[in-house]
Amino acid sequence: MINISLSEMSRIFIALTPDLELNKTISDLKNNQKKFLNKDAKVNWSNDHQHHITLNFIGSMEPEQKEEMFNLLDNRPPFKNLPIEVSSLGYFPNDDGKVLVLNINLSSRLKNLFNEVDKVVARVGFGMSLRSFKPHITLARFKDKSRPFSKLIELDDDINSIIKSLDVYESTFESTKPLHTLIKSYDFE
């Protein structure tokens, strides 16, 4: 478990972070997708070291709320290592979305983890998630309504990996680019 001090009020989210091997694969996919970027298209690519699958974006939390959430996560049975499958590139939240993502197959174990995290967040006073969970890893964002890519790369096979921790991040912005700082990590068994 990693502890890092926090500022007074911070925007918090809980996520799953790819291991180094999967992260390299994601970065390679992004570089290959860039070859299909249309001329003059403006795309903001995610930082190669900030890939994650968001389970719950909580938002601003008081220090007492963070401590209560950490205590709830500290005192629950450990999570098991979580197999995941990356299935395809696509647009989020749907085909009209302005975010390029890697879609993650929603296994029953991933759904159960999402539900467990949602319960913890609700106990701290933040409402349960109202939207359905569509696990993904953000690759890029764009504002133009037209598609910035001539095509999307198709994966020959699903990409399989194991997630080994549940991570809590603080989100800030630097020059309009999001920065995510790991503040606590819960290792899986």
Side-chain angles (χ1 to χ4, degrees):
M1 188 167 46
I2 299 169
N3 283 309
I4 300 170
S5 69
L6 300 172
S7 60
E8 281 302 304
M9 190 74 160
S10 48
R11 294 166 36 98
I12 302 296
F13 68 93
I14 300 174
L16 303 171
T17 308
D19 64 14
L20 292 175
E21 182 179 336
L22 178 56
N23 197 61
K24 177 162 181 4
T25 301
I26 295 166
S27 297
D28 291 345
L29 279 169
K30 277 192 333 195
N31 287 330
N32 287 331
Q33 184 61 47
K34 288 177 184 180
K35 297 173 187 173
F36 300 103
L37 188 62
N38 293 328
K39 185 180 178 189
D40 299 326
K42 294 190 179 179
V43 172
N44 291 323
W45 294 95
S46 61
N47 183 312
D48 282 347
H49 303 289
Q50 305 237 331
H51 298 132
H52 62 274
I53 304 166
T54 301
L55 295 177
N56 196 307
F57 186 86
I58 301 163
S60 296
M61 293 183 88
E62 296 290 342
E64 299 80 20
Q65 292 169 311
K66 285 184 278 199
E67 287 309 312
E68 182 181 356
M69 181 181 71
F70 293 153
N71 285 334
L72 289 169
L73 290 170
D74 285 338
N75 293 312
R76 64 161 317 286
F79 296 110
K80 303 280 186 216
N81 283 342
L82 179 68
I84 62 162
E85 286 183 343
V86 177
S87 59
S88 63
L89 274 80
Y91 295 108
F92 185 85
N94 53 43
D95 286 340
D96 294 327
K98 296 180 183 176
V99 179
L100 177 68
V101 299
L102 278 176
N103 292 304
I104 308 295
N105 288 332
L106 181 57
S107 66
S108 59
R109 291 207 29 220
L110 181 53
K111 179 69 173 166
N112 289 341
L113 178 60
F114 167 80
N115 289 334
E116 288 289 321
V117 167
D118 223 28
K119 287 177 191 171
V120 166
V121 170
R123 286 195 54 199
V124 178
F126 291 84
M128 304 259 306
S129 182
L130 298 176
R131 57 191 134 78
S132 62
F133 179 47
K134 296 180 181 177
H136 64 275
I137 297 171
T138 299
L139 302 180
R141 297 178 186 276
F142 51 94
K143 292 183 180 177
D144 194 353
K145 289 186 180 191
S146 63
R147 292 285 164 243
F149 306 101
S150 59
K151 75 173 198 171
L152 295 182
I153 294 173
E154 291 188 29
L155 302 179
D156 294 331
D157 295 303
D158 287 349
I159 301 167
N160 295 294
S161 186
I162 302 289
I163 300 293
K164 297 180 181 174
S165 67
L166 180 73
D167 300 320
V168 181
Y169 286 92
E170 179 178 25
S171 179
T172 57
F173 284 91
E174 185 174 291
S175 303
T176 70
K177 234 174 149 54
L179 287 177
H180 310 307
T181 304
L182 179 65
I183 58 174
K184 195 154 186 170
S185 187
Y186 298 89
D187 291 338
F188 292 168
E189 291 185 334

